[in-house]
Amino acid sequence: MSCPSDWNKDRGEPITFLSKREAAAIEKELLEDYKFGRQQLIEILGHACAIAVTKVFPLSSLPKKQPTILVICGPEQNGAIGLVCARHLRIYNYEPTIFYPKRSQNSLYQDFTTQCEKMDIPFLSYLPTEVQLINDAYNLVVDAILGLECESGGAKEPYCSILTTLKLIRIPIVSLDVPSGWDAEAGNSDGISPEVLISLAAPKKCATRFLGKHHFLAGRFLPYDLQKKFELNLPEYPGAECVIPL
C-alpha cells in the first residue's frame, strides 16, 4: 500500500491511495470471494457518480436554461459506469447526451446502452471538433472514457482526438476514477484537467496529483473486512450518504 494522505485526520489514520495492482486485487476479491456481480458493481458506482454530479452542479446552479450534460463513454468498464451515471442523471431531471464512439461488444454493457436508449437519452453520432459548439450546448462534460483500464500512453483514436478537444473546452469536466489521459499511478502527463474527480470505492494513486476544485469518494459498499485487509482507512460516510468529499 502506498501514498498515505492526511485526509482522515479525525480517525487518526491516513487514507491510502491504491496502485493499479491493488485496485485490481480488490475488484477480484469482490467478484470471486464476496460474490458481487459486475453489473451490481457498475450500477452502484454509476449511481454514486450521478449523486456526486448533483452535489457540485445542482439543477438550480446550472448556467444554461436547459440542464444539459455531455457524457463521453469509452468501451471498457469506465464507459459502462458512465452509461449508468447518465441514466441516473436523467432520472434526476438533468438532460444528458451520450457520446459513445466505440460501443462495446460486451452483452452487459450493451444492456446498459439499451437502458439509456429506452429512457430517450440521445446518443451523438460524432463529437463536434468546434469547441465552441460544446461550450454553448452543455453545462459540463462527464469523462468516462479511459479510466483505470487504460495503460499509460495507451489512448488511441478516436480517443486521442476526443482528449485534444476536451483540453480546449471551457465548461467543467467531471472525471470518473482516473482522468482520461492520466496514468493511474503517476498522474497527468498529457491528459485533461478536470474540475471534479470522482474516485470510485477508494482513491487511486493518481489522485494525489489532482489539482481541481472538488474530489469525491463514491461507492459506499466495500465490506469492512476487505477495507481492513487492504488498509484502506476510508473516511466515515455521514448518515445514508454514498458520496463524500475528500
Side-chain angles (χ1 to χ4, degrees), residues 13-204:
E13 301 172 330
I15 292 177
T16 48
F17 293 77
L18 297 179
S19 68
K20 194 169 182 178
R21 178 184 58 80
E22 290 160 344
I26 289 174
E27 183 175 270
K28 185 173 186 290
E29 289 208 22
L30 286 168
L31 293 169
E32 296 181 1
D33 297 342
Y34 288 84
K35 302 305 178 183
F36 280 80
R38 188 168 297 279
Q39 180 176 6
Q40 181 183 15
L41 294 179
I42 292 172
E43 183 69 28
I44 291 171
L45 294 172
H47 170 259
C49 287
I51 294 293
V53 171
T54 69
K55 288 181 178 295
V56 183
F57 304 102
L59 287 168
S60 60
S61 74
L62 297 178
K64 295 180 172 58
K65 183 177 181 181
Q66 301 299 321
T68 52
I69 296 177
L70 176 61
V71 182
I72 306 180
C73 298
E76 304 298 337
Q77 182 165 297
N78 196 257
I81 294 170
L83 292 171
V84 175
C85 176
R87 170 162 49 82
H88 283 285
L89 287 171
R90 182 71 187 90
I91 292 170
Y92 300 145
N93 294 319
Y94 292 80
E95 296 181 9
T97 294
I98 297 171
F99 181 51
Y100 194 14
K102 295 183 72 173
R103 298 194 182 194
S104 173
Q105 297 303 305
N106 184 305
S107 61
L108 175 59
Y109 301 170
Q110 291 175 347
D111 289 346
F112 288 130
T113 304
T114 299
Q115 291 166 13
C116 290
E117 292 172 338
K118 292 292 188 182
M119 293 193 67
D120 296 323
I121 298 175
F123 283 72
L124 290 181
S125 58
Y126 67 95
L127 185 70
T129 55
E130 179 58 52
V131 174
Q132 192 58 42
L133 293 176
I134 300 174
N135 291 332
D136 290 342
Y138 304 102
N139 292 278
L140 62 133
V141 174
V142 174
D143 157 36
I145 305 170
L146 299 177
L148 190 65
E149 304 97 337
C150 184
E151 296 294 336
S152 179
K156 301 177 181 178
E157 291 298 348
Y159 304 111
C160 286
S161 296
I162 294 170
L163 294 183
T164 297
T165 299
L166 292 185
K167 290 175 189 178
L168 298 174
I169 66 171
R170 296 197 308 272
I171 57 176
I173 297 174
V174 178
S175 287
L176 308 189
D177 208 28
V178 176
S180 293
W182 288 35
D183 182 274
E185 298 186 7
N188 184 8
S189 57
D190 191 33
I192 60 177
S193 298
E195 182 173 308
V196 181
L197 174 62
I198 306 173
S199 289
L200 303 181
K204 312 309 181 288

